[in-house]
Amino acid sequence: MQLLSSKNRPQIIDHLQTNEFDLVVVGGGITGAGIALDAASRGLSVALVEQYDFASGTSSRSTKLIHGGLRYLKQFEISLVREVGRERAIVHRLAPHLVVAEKMLLPLIEGGSYGKWATSFGLAVYDFLADVQGDDRRVMLSREDTLEMEPLLRKDLVVGGGLYAEYRTDDARLTIEIIKTAANHQATSLNYTRAEDLLYNEEGRICGLKCKDLIADREFDIRAKYVVSAAGPWVDKVRKKDNSLKGKHLYPTKGVHIVVPHERFPIRHTVYFDVPDGRMIFAVRRHRVTYIGTTDTPYTGDLNHVVTNQEDVDYLLNGVNNMFPDVNLNTNDVESSWAGLRPLIFEEGKSASELSRKDEIFESDSGLLSIAGGKLTGYRKMAERIVNRVVKKYAKNYDRDFGPSVTEKIYLTGGSFEDSAAVQQYKARLKPRIADKGLSNYYLDYLVHNYGKQTDEILDRMEQFKDSPETALVRAEAWFTVHKELSASLRDFFLRRSGRLYFNRPSIPPTLDQILTDFKSYLGWDEQRAKKEYDQLKQELFEAAHFRYSDSEAP
Ligand code: FAD
């Protein structure tokens, strides 16, 4: 059975409810996806349920960097920096088309977060901890070199700069490729399936989930020997269902990013710069846009509906206009945005920015394992740690050994390239094909960075659609994501599979009606469902670019 086609939902559900699994995972963000892959590739039978779409929680709303977290060095989180620093290179190797090397420019300013010598030393330590080699090692720059690299920077403030190496990714695509790779190891994952309740045996041990298929509005059970909750900001809600919410708890903080056309903020590099309140934010160039983020504020609102407020936008625009005074960005320049919640663990007396990004595992009396905190970058290690716990219990209770994690050696789907040079060769081979199809070079980068080697399949699929090149491409992508990536709604496709709603918004209106028609035919939507989908996408488009002040701070 094709485990990744939305057309097969009934069969997938049948499989989920008729088998007992070794492990069931709650949550289809990067953490849950990583756990499913780690466990399935060791030989456990695995099920994963996600209440909305994969990566629809925090894992599509990050800064989209696979980074060591330079900032955490300042907080002396040495082991965290070492671990995620080293993980960067591993994740890059597993999907070099999707986790792309990116130089970061850190301008040094009079009275800024980082002094010249501290930066030079800090970046050297950062490279050392992460075992960064050769040309990727940090370079310190003079004032003149810094301004030549980034002429838009504020000339009266900049006193020098540091250039260091990180990686850029697409968090939602990374999550979906991990889900797909896990499926290649027989893990069964399903979106729009909420764990409504937990199931217990006579001894009070957790033994599965009562789930609800939110599309068909039907309940069913999944039985499993072990249950892991990787529910991100919702982790405490699942612990509450288990009556085990005591001791440490989550403290979600909100982070917002805004997107402007690159021509309105034409940086040449990703820049990590000081803002007036003493924090630092990123400006990241990505194809036709520049995105800017992030904010970091405590959050107590609705976990299921986190929006960008006008004060978030003001904060980021002020930050840019302060450091790049000739740019003069304003709200009308904002083409799109996203807002997400960091699932951080509360620590007495610390502000949002000071809270540790380390992950923690909680185990309840019933045997529920929960994992919270952490970073996108560290997903593989987080997964390894919690699956180690599961296999240890398994060995003790069932006398079966599954061995250590093997994910360091498993290429992610779409990414079996030897290295970045192989990605470049693949691009060079595709270039004439893309031109033959009547598509611009923009789509070469876009397709290869999003889909890797799966681009060939998408281009083949274009043959079926006798439309303009752009429309045929969007239709081919939509076909691919419905049949191969469990895309079940317009939002899944336009936000998380293709990233068009964030990074190529103008491409949506000309194709929307056609894509709606395609989804209707693929998934058998009636008129009522089609209208609901259309309205939800419109709402999403609206909220990404229209902002109001939060009630308490309304002007
Ligand atoms: P989530 O992605 O939220 O996944 C949890 C999932 O569980 C959700 O999809 C949710 O719907 C599902 N769920 C909850 N309850 C249930 C239920 N009952 N049944 C079924 N499913 C359920 N990290 C980096 O490494 N690099 C960065 O650049 C970076 N930038 C960031 C910027 C911001 C603004 C934020 C907020 C975070 C950033 N992070 C970054 C951190 C990183 O994004 C998170 O650590 C990571 O995405 C968390 O993933 P997760 O899977 O634990 O949570």
Side-chain angles (χ1 to χ4, degrees), residues 424-441:
Q424 291 312 321
Q425 281 160 17
Y426 179 69
K427 272 192 185 172
R429 181 170 77 65
L430 272 187
K431 200 172 174 176
R433 197 164 174 219
I434 297 268
D436 266 6
K437 296 258 177 219
L439 295 168
S440 71
N441 247 347

Side-chain angles (χ1 to χ4, degrees), residues 26-32 49-53 55-67 193-196 230-234 238 241 253-257 294-295 340-343 373-378 382:
V26 179
I30 191 95
T31 311
V49 290
E50 162 55 50
Q51 61 180 344
Y52 302 118
D53 185 26
S56 60
T58 308
S59 298
S60 55
R61 295 146 190 273
S62 76
T63 310
K64 307 180 194 296
L65 295 175
I66 294 296
H67 66 155
T193 303
R194 177 178 294 148
E196 297 272 47
W234 293 262
V238 180
K241 287 182 203 293
T253 75
K254 179 174 134 179
V256 163
H257 291 80
T294 172
T295 59
L341 298 178
R342 298 173 187 81
K375 307 268 308 157
L376 194 70
T377 311
M382 288 170 72

Side-chain angles (χ1 to χ4, degrees), residues 1-14:
M1 180 190 25
Q2 163 56 277
L3 286 173
L4 295 161
S5 171
S6 274
K7 296 179 75 149
N8 289 346
R9 281 186 74 89
Q11 292 90 320
I12 298 171
I13 290 172
D14 191 50

Side-chain angles (χ1 to χ4, degrees), residues 477-488:
E477 287 178 75
W479 185 95
F480 179 79
T481 69
V482 169
H483 294 83
K484 306 275 173 105
E485 301 192 331
L486 283 168
S487 191

Side-chain angles (χ1 to χ4, degrees), residues 362-390:
F362 308 112
E363 182 168 352
S364 79
D365 293 344
S366 74
L368 172 70
L369 287 162
S370 305
I371 186 160
K375 307 268 308 157
L376 194 70
T377 311
Y379 80 89
R380 216 186 52 82
K381 282 304 217 186
M382 288 170 72
E384 179 179 342
R385 274 194 280 280
I386 201 155
V387 178
N388 281 347
R389 292 270 282 254
V390 172

